[in-house]
Amino acid sequence: MYLTQSLAFGLPFFTQALSLAISPRHVLYGRSNSGQATHYGGNLQGGACGFSQMTTLPANVFGTATANWDTATHCGQCVSVTGPQGKITAMIVDQCPGCETNQLDLFPDAFTALDSDPSAGVIQITWDYVDCPISSPLQLVNKEGVSAYWFSMQVVDATEQVTDFQVSTDGSTWTTVDRLNDNFFTLDSGTGSTSVTVKLTSASGSVVTVDNVGISPGTAVTASSNFGAGSSSSKAASSGASGSPNSQLAPSTSNNKPAASPGSDDESDDECIA
């Protein structure tokens, strides 16, 4: 098909088509979005994405809320944002229910990186979904209250969007677990076990499988790899409450509802600041 099109449109078209064919990431992430950017106080731990154990964002990554929620599908995903005076990478950590489609409600430092005058309130931007610049393995965080009879887990520090989450107790029979609006992959019936294997698939088709994942309230498990070149179909896991070198996880609390970080605005309840 590409060869026929190249004859009609010339070699440059064929070269571009071939590049797209062998690089699925460009197909997935290559479409630019245009919209407005506003700013609010920022809410990492208390945002709608439920990153209650994440105390800091990865280095050189800003925070943002999004209007394109889709049942928390884009939580933890990174976007490359271009504004009037700069370009940044930001991670989606919150929802902006009062925003319009394709609008980003940025943390204050993200907004000023794109426009040095925060009093502008609203700026025009273009943005694309991109891989997060994270070099450490991804993490799996158990929600408070989990057991063999109720499964709820979150993915943190993934370099790409998680599009499929499966769990197995025997390594051969897999159950797909849906992501809920709180950004936790939840199975109300549980798995019947306190140790499982988790298989994650990213938007580009990369797979990371994490063995021996303990189901224990509020604990975090670090995989041996992340999506991309270092991903694997079978990776062991290590347990612990510590975070990765890229973002930091705080010790868990017994409260299932994430608390807002000091001095932050809860974007889930507030309108965007224009």
Side-chain angles (χ1 to χ4, degrees):
M1 179 180 70
Y2 291 136
L3 181 58
T4 302
Q5 290 174 325
S6 69
L7 293 176
F9 297 98
L11 184 59
F13 180 89
F14 172 74
T15 302
Q16 181 182 24
L18 181 61
S19 175
L20 291 173
I22 64 177
S23 181
R25 178 176 302 169
H26 289 100
V27 175
L28 293 167
Y29 296 150
R31 182 174 62 85
S32 293
N33 301 281
S34 298
Q36 293 182 332
T38 49
H39 61 91
Y40 76 116
N43 201 355
L44 177 57
Q45 291 181 289
C49 288
F51 292 134
S52 60
Q53 293 193 35
M54 186 184 292
T55 59
T56 62
L57 288 162
N60 302 314
V61 175
F62 296 89
T64 187
T66 182
N68 302 3
W69 188 242
D70 194 21
T71 318
T73 296
H74 300 294
C75 282
Q77 196 170 359
C78 285
V79 290
S80 176
V81 189
T82 302
Q85 299 177 11
K87 185 176 183 178
I88 63 168
T89 298
M91 179 181 287
I92 295 170
V93 299
D94 203 358
Q95 181 186 18
C96 183
C99 291
E100 299 179 355
T101 301
N102 290 338
Q103 182 178 344
L104 298 179
D105 203 21
L106 302 166
F107 283 25
D109 55 350
F111 189 90
T112 54
L114 298 175
D115 190 316
S116 59
D117 181 13
S119 65
V122 180
I123 57 174
Q124 295 299 316
I125 58 168
T126 57
W127 59 272
D128 306 91
Y129 292 113
V130 296
D131 292 354
C132 290
I134 297 173
S135 58
S136 68
L138 59 80
Q139 293 190 323
L140 303 172
V141 178
N142 284 292
K143 196 171 187 178
E144 292 292 342
V146 298
S147 68
Y149 309 104
W150 187 65
F151 179 91
S152 191
M153 187 171 287
Q154 183 181 80
V155 182
V156 177
D157 272 352
T159 55
E160 300 180 28
Q161 179 191 29
V162 178
T163 56
D164 188 62
F165 187 116
Q166 297 185 57
V167 64
S168 175
T169 57
D170 59 13
S172 59
T173 304
W174 296 91
T175 299
T176 297
V177 184
D178 292 330
R179 190 198 309 246
L180 301 187
N181 206 49
D182 63 355
N183 191 35
F184 278 83
F185 293 87
T186 301
L187 192 64
D188 284 335
S189 61
T191 63
S193 175
T194 56
S195 180
V196 299
T197 298
V198 174
K199 181 165 64 175
L200 308 172
T201 304
S202 74
S204 70
S206 180
V207 176
V208 171
T209 304
V210 190
D211 299 319
N212 305 317
V213 179
I215 307 303
S216 179
T219 59
V221 176
T222 303
S224 297
S225 63
N226 213 317
F227 295 125
S231 64
S232 171
S233 60
S234 180
K235 285 290 182 181
S238 61
S239 300
S242 62
S244 73
N246 291 276
S247 66
Q248 297 299 316
L249 298 187
S252 63
T253 65
S254 59
N255 185 1
N256 287 354
K257 186 179 187 304
S261 55
S264 67
D265 297 327
D266 188 348
E267 180 69 18
S268 301
D269 298 323
D270 297 339
E271 295 291 324
C272 303
I273 296 177

